[in-house]
Amino acid sequence: MRTRSNSGVRLDYYQRVVHKLILDHQQPVTGLFPASPDNDHAWIRDNLYCILAVWGLSMAFKKIADQDEDRAKTFELEQSCVKLMRGLLMAMMQQKDKVEKFKSTQHPLDSLHAKYSAITGRTVVKDNEWGHLQVDAISLYLLILAQMTASGLQIVFSLDEVAFIQNLVFYIESAYCTPDYGIWERGDKTNHGLPELNASSIGMAKAALEAMNELDLFGARGGPSSVIHVLADEAQKCQAVLQSMLPRESNSKELDSGLLSIISFPAFAVDDPQLITKTRDTIVNKLQGKYGCKRFLRDGHKTPREDPNRLYYEPWELRMFENIECEWPLFLCYLVLDYCFQGDKHNISVYMQKLENVMIRKEDDGIKLVPELYAVPSEKADLEQCQPGSQERIPLGRCPFVWAQSLYILGKLLQEGFLAVGELDPLNRRLCSEKKPDVVVQIVILAEDNEIRDKLIEYDLHVQTIAEVAPIEVQPARVLSHLYTYLGRNKKLGLSGRKSRDVGILSTSKLYSLNDRIFAFTPQNFDYEEYYMSRDPALLASTFTANVAFLGMSWKQMLGRPTITLLATQYLLDQGKIPMAMITTMKKLKSGYINGTRVNLGQLGDFLSTSAITNLTSFLGSQEDGYPDKLNPQVHSYLEEHLLRSFSNKMSFLSRPAGRPNARMLKRRMSVRGAIKKTRSINVDSETLGMEGEYVGPQLERKPSWLEVDYGRSPSPDDARRKSITKGTSTTGLGVGTITSTEVSKDKLPTPPKEQGPNINKNIPVIVRNRTASESQGVSYAEQETDELVTMLRDTESLDEQGDILQYLVDTHGLEFNTGMTENGKAVRVKDLLKALYEKACTQKLWGLVRHTAGMLGKRVEDLAKAVTDLLVRQKQITVGMPPNNEHTITAPLPENELRQLIHLAYGDDESTAMLTQELLVYLAMFIRTEPQLFMEMLRLRVGLIIQVMATELSRTLSCDGEEASEHLLNLSPFEMKNLLYHILSGKEFAINSVGRGNFSIVSNKSHRYGKKSQIILESGQSLQGNIEDIAPIAEPDRQGQWLRRRRLDGALNRVPRDFYPRVWGVLEQCQGLIIQGKVLQPNLTQEMTSGELKFALAVETVLNSIPQPEYRQLVVEALMVLTLVVEYKAVSHLGGTITVEHLVHKANQIFLEDQMRCNGDATLCCAKAEAGGGGGGVGGALLCGGAAGVCQHLYDSAPSGSYGTMSYLARAVAALLAERLPPEAPVECAIT
């Protein structure tokens, strides 16, 4: 018999250790590991970490198989791994009903259990007796299952088990928006059982989803039916949320050592090397000690000051645990493995040394054990708190702590060269942060029919039609989403397949094969049926370029290139022409680059060899009926049905017979007129927004135009004349500042102007002037009046008028009211008329009317719930409704219908603004996905305030009054709306160009001065500016008002300086509270929360949000910043009692006005003059220059820096405050840096 080599001897030693510490405890029936000899509970997570050492050792033996018994040892160790993995699988499969339920509810009580009985594999505690929802544990199971299968182990035996695992993938799919109890099973760190969104769970889920994708669970012997499918978009969402959270763990834990398992072995979930380094460094700096790392700051577990008789902590007692948290050697094991994977030999030995110093030798056989944790003895707690790291600690808890022991053994096997890192990671996850070559996005444009193809050829764009790309079939994304619902269905187990209907751009950018057919799918956000935003070509073009950029960044871990298939349909044509926005985008594509992403425009057939192709046959076959090769009959009929239909919408109720309106009709029209406008709620008045120089005097005298009554949105006489000449087009004249347009049907000219143009103009003003209040409000209309309204509806040309009549009908009779008209033998309801009007308004691009009718019809914005979730999971809270009284905060993802109810509740009857809110939420979500840096230092997005600021900005740039500005705002096309929002978020200057048809385009301003201001000349022949100029010099170059605008935008967006909240925490430490708007920030917040905690930031933000005027809020933020500087430079030892921050702002204003008096500055024209006259600056000033909260406009408009800047005045105010508070003999040192 040959002698053993050295390596063999060493491995035999490790085998003895593994047997003694790990395998001897494995239960023979279930294969699970109990927590300890006297506790038979088996935790999923701990069991998985325990088995890793066994798996590692089996691979080490496989390499040096000197003798037959080594091969036997390998097999024996491998089978122990299989036994454990199957034991966990059986335990979870007994809870299959929970998996099915959880896919729909995501409710903590419907989750799989986190621990089972090691003896029976059954549950050990009830659903509500434990924080069972731990997405990271189930994800870790899937990740290890994937890695072990890839290393050659066969763990899954039957197709039913494959279906169950496919459903576990759905179970963790929505991890990015599922708050859970996390790796420490406690949720919020006060341990009151509140789940929260945890970065460690999201990262583990991302890793599991990527590892399972396209994995054959039967290994090399499997076929298409044993392959697991993952929608790439789900992993991408986890990735995006993870990147926005790190290095934070959750709302209550600003940092957690558990993140080491995410940035390195086993998950390798982060792609960005800088973020990995930042997270590791933060953990090492803030949490590492001599004995290991703390789990998180102020972790009371097993500390001497913890009350062992209750599970939870009071918020105020968390402060007691500071600096005496227990240190866990487990994290030194993670760091050792991390450096092994980096190949950093120096750090491996440093950390291995640290780890071995704190291990404990067993008496009998000298094996070194890793204890669970090291705690400070109770008599030394005070000393440790004063001088962290000075006291000796004692080991507590389980010893050995098998989770850590197992990782230690892996570390030793790697360090001594028995294992290569690639063997522990056969799926090569460790390479995900390596640099990759640029992605080339392939783009195919198809025409719906020959007519559109020929129109594109005119622009030198050669495309194929759908018919020409056969046999490849092109379908909308919703077909793919339907096909995916068959994935994972299993009758025997009662599992229903995928619940979510969402398929993202990554999924539709693959091609799919099904038997011998090949499918391409158009992106989901181009499915036309749903929503008016898809009616704006410019918005579609910009969404498309955003999609391309997104694919360029996010297409990872996939074989082949992404292919976007776009369909040019009749639906996109604008009056028979292809919109310019589309043409310019297509031309850019031909150049090979679009916004920095490489693209390749070509034909579908040419891309077959380079595209990513996924085979769907496996789960669409009739597997369970014994015909795996045949298509499931339901799928077959569905596909037959869906071979592309054309979209047509022909409704003819609103076409009008010729004839002239009689006088009584005209009278009736007056009472309905303006019904839509009465619902508006956007507020741009000078009170809440502190508008500058708004004209509040009497309305300008204006000449009434054709049919113009208190509502300037119908055509003027000369418009009508112009229309009678230009047949079949739709032009627009600007009524006073508001946008009007009329549809002219091709065969009929507008009758009234032609027959009696001039006299209508003479008559109507008379009607207008005689119209009494009783006529417009008090009349109760009888039945025949409804018929009359309906006739009138047919007679009127103006869509706006039709809108007003329908608004009136809805208000009086409701949507389901039968109008008495019939169409194809069916009764026509008001709702049908509204739908027809909506279609027409869409065609004519009357966006204000489109938004209003969409709101009345209750149309939903596509993906509203998804947009809100995208914002929330990136730690942004949202409020909807108009401040200060109607704001509703959304802090957790809600289902679509609840969101719509909430938004409609917040805006009352104002359908247009409710629709606009939904639209803006979708744009904000688009921006946060593609340009997260726009949202830096913003915690809460107040959509109502953003809408008001958008209207304010329009009224400033167009020099018009508030009501008009809000009218303009609601009439912006979706693309311009998104553009305006972008300019406001990024703080860029912009100018407005008028582009015929009353639509505006918003253009960035490179210089700080505008070119020509938008020349909107009003119909009355004089510009609105005339009357305003003597009040506020708006016409001056725009340098003036720049800082005021900046502060107003930052205030409305809730933007604060970097590290603002942790610095306010420092100020609270030094005083007895801060008072803002009568609300107090109590110093005990610092007892409950750490300085970097998101919960603390939200508490401060809530108080700041009680200030209604955005620019005043910004000055309060600046005043707080001055206070933080006083604290940081230790100018004084303590700030004394409570500080009312507004007093500082008003004191600074007073000093500012005194300075202005002295040097005769601008403010002597308003507030400083009032002071001189003894009018009392606050009150008199507010009357004179309209500054918010009685602070002079000129102070708001001062730059922060400089000797006359706001910061220097605030610093002087703070110095004055300190002078009052300090004892008179103590000199105040004032050093301005």
Side-chain angles (χ1 to χ4, degrees), residues 13-201:
Y13 164 71
Y14 282 123
Q15 195 212 359
R16 282 199 303 281
V17 173
V18 164
H19 259 285
K20 199 157 213 156
L21 300 183
I22 300 175
L23 288 177
D24 283 356
H25 302 289
Q26 189 171 19
Q27 285 291 326
V29 179
T30 58
L32 303 180
F33 295 107
S36 64
D38 43 0
N39 176 359
D40 77 319
H41 294 188
W43 270 264
I44 295 180
R45 185 185 305 100
D46 297 50
N47 272 253
L48 289 164
Y49 277 117
C50 291
I51 206 70
L52 285 178
V54 182
W55 178 49
L57 192 62
S58 76
M59 291 188 291
F61 268 115
K62 194 187 263 178
K63 282 201 297 195
I64 65 136
D66 287 343
Q67 300 145 359
D68 287 350
E69 64 247 38
D70 290 339
R71 292 198 193 91
K73 276 177 194 158
T74 300
F75 186 68
E76 179 201 342
L77 291 167
E78 287 181 346
Q79 290 311 99
S80 300
C81 298
V82 173
K83 175 90 176 165
L84 172 98
M85 295 301 283
R86 290 194 57 75
L88 287 172
L89 181 61
M90 294 308 110
M92 291 190 282
M93 282 181 79
Q94 288 180 1
Q95 293 199 297
K96 55 185 186 298
D97 306 342
K98 283 188 164 303
V99 174
E100 180 58 32
K101 207 165 166 195
F102 185 83
K103 287 189 299 189
S104 310
T105 62
Q106 269 113 46
H107 194 282
L109 294 181
D110 296 329
S111 65
L112 284 171
H113 281 206
K115 56 180 185 174
Y116 300 92
S117 160
I119 298 161
T120 63
R122 303 251 163 206
T123 58
V124 282
V125 289
K126 293 204 183 71
D127 293 351
N128 56 359
E129 291 173 353
W130 198 259
H132 284 298
L133 176 50
Q134 296 167 29
V135 177
D136 73 305
I138 308 295
S139 304
L140 182 67
Y141 177 79
L142 292 175
L143 173 64
I144 306 279
L145 172 69
Q147 294 278 27
M148 285 182 171
T149 305
S151 77
L153 300 188
Q154 169 107 38
I155 293 165
V156 175
F157 292 174
S158 71
L159 287 177
D160 295 323
E161 290 172 10
V162 172
F164 180 75
I165 292 200
Q166 179 68 65
N167 278 276
L168 283 187
V169 167
F170 300 145
Y171 180 94
I172 63 168
E173 219 177 31
S174 53
Y176 70 98
C177 59
T178 311
D180 70 340
Y181 294 100
I183 185 169
W184 310 124
E185 309 194 292
R186 58 188 357 183
D188 183 282
K189 74 170 155 201
T190 53
N191 213 11
H192 279 273
L194 304 167
E196 33 176 31
L197 212 53
N198 289 296
S200 52
S201 298

Side-chain angles (χ1 to χ4, degrees), residues 656-661 669 706-707 714-731 741-758 760 794-799 801-802 844:
R656 55 181 278 267
R660 43 176 287 198
R669 230 166 243 193
W706 177 53
L707 276 191
S714 351
S716 61
D718 45 16
D719 257 47
R721 219 167 290 129
R722 201 173 335 135
K723 286 210 184 69
S724 44
I725 303 161
T726 54
K727 223 188 261 202
T729 56
S730 146
T731 53
S741 176
T742 309
E743 172 182 337
V744 181
S745 46
K746 290 210 169 97
D747 49 347
K748 303 185 202 78
L749 294 176
T751 336
K754 200 171 121 196
E755 290 185 15
Q756 45 174 143
I760 283 208
R794 284 198 148 158
D795 279 359
T796 175
E797 263 309 324
S798 150
L799 292 192
E801 251 175 55
Q802 295 180 4
Q844 293 190 28

Side-chain angles (χ1 to χ4, degrees), residues 379-515:
E379 66 278 4
K380 296 185 178 165
D382 293 336
L383 293 167
E384 175 75 14
Q385 203 145 24
C386 304
Q387 207 183 343
S390 59
Q391 305 303 308
E392 290 293 312
R393 292 174 173 242
I394 49 172
L396 288 181
R398 291 169 279 183
C399 188
F401 183 40
V402 191
W403 171 353
Q405 192 76 33
S406 170
L407 292 180
Y408 165 68
I409 294 170
L410 279 185
K412 291 302 279 183
L413 290 173
L414 285 167
Q415 189 188 18
E416 295 177 18
F418 292 115
L419 272 181
V421 284
E423 290 173 287
L424 278 181
D425 178 28
L427 290 171
N428 293 331
R429 295 206 43 77
R430 64 192 181 287
L431 306 177
C432 75
S433 55
E434 304 284 313
K435 185 113 180 63
K436 313 257 183 329
D438 284 351
V439 175
V440 178
V441 181
Q442 304 176 151
I443 292 165
V444 177
I445 297 173
L446 297 175
E448 186 181 34
D449 51 31
N450 296 348
E451 183 192 343
I452 291 187
R453 182 191 62 187
D454 301 342
K455 285 188 172 160
L456 283 169
I457 289 179
E458 289 170 26
Y459 295 99
D460 193 29
L461 293 162
H462 297 272
V463 301
Q464 292 179 299
T465 61
I466 297 179
E468 289 167 355
V469 293
I472 303 174
E473 299 170 45
V474 180
Q475 298 278 8
R478 56 178 180 277
V479 175
L480 179 61
S481 112
H482 181 82
L483 293 181
Y484 264 121
T485 57
Y486 290 89
L487 181 55
R489 285 194 188 182
N490 186 297
K491 293 192 198 102
K492 277 193 265 180
L493 290 171
L495 296 170
S496 69
R498 185 170 188 259
K499 279 280 185 283
S500 157
R501 303 309 302 258
D502 186 36
V503 287
I505 181 79
L506 294 173
S507 305
T508 51
S509 300
K510 294 178 179 176
L511 300 181
Y512 291 85
S513 62
L514 180 53
N515 292 346

Side-chain angles (χ1 to χ4, degrees), residues 286-296 299-304 321-329 357-358 360 371-381 383-396:
K286 290 194 178 175
L287 300 174
Q288 188 182 313
K290 194 162 70 179
Y291 297 90
C293 297
K294 301 162 177 176
R295 297 191 304 179
F296 47 88
D299 168 20
H301 181 64
K302 300 251 170 132
T303 54
F321 308 133
E322 195 154 291
N323 298 333
I324 59 163
E325 304 97 333
C326 297
E327 292 179 358
W328 295 58
N357 291 345
V358 296
I360 296 164
E372 185 170 359
L373 49 84
Y374 277 90
V376 180
S378 51
E379 66 278 4
K380 296 185 178 165
L383 293 167
E384 175 75 14
Q385 203 145 24
C386 304
Q387 207 183 343
S390 59
Q391 305 303 308
E392 290 293 312
R393 292 174 173 242
I394 49 172
L396 288 181

Side-chain angles (χ1 to χ4, degrees), residues 576-645:
K577 288 201 205 61
I578 290 177
M580 265 337 280
M582 299 281 181
I583 299 293
T584 35
T585 310
M586 291 179 194
K587 290 252 166 86
K588 271 188 202 158
L589 292 175
K590 283 175 80 171
S591 73
Y593 273 92
I594 186 159
N595 297 3
T597 309
R598 283 184 60 192
V599 291
N600 184 357
L601 181 61
Q603 302 200 331
L604 208 42
D606 305 342
F607 289 152
L608 282 179
S609 54
T610 50
S611 297
I613 299 187
T614 298
N615 184 352
L616 297 178
T617 318
S618 56
F619 61 86
L620 295 175
S622 315
Q623 191 73 47
E624 289 192 271
D625 308 331
Y627 299 105
D629 306 332
K630 270 222 181 112
L631 260 195
N632 183 325
Q634 288 168 301
V635 177
H636 185 75
S637 57
Y638 177 80
L639 285 174
E640 290 306 301
E641 230 175 278
H642 266 268
L643 287 172
L644 271 173
R645 311 163 170 172

Side-chain angles (χ1 to χ4, degrees), residues 820-832:
M821 298 160 73
T822 52
E823 170 91 5
N824 301 339
K826 280 188 183 158
V828 174
R829 299 162 306 170
V830 174
K831 193 174 184 175
D832 303 319

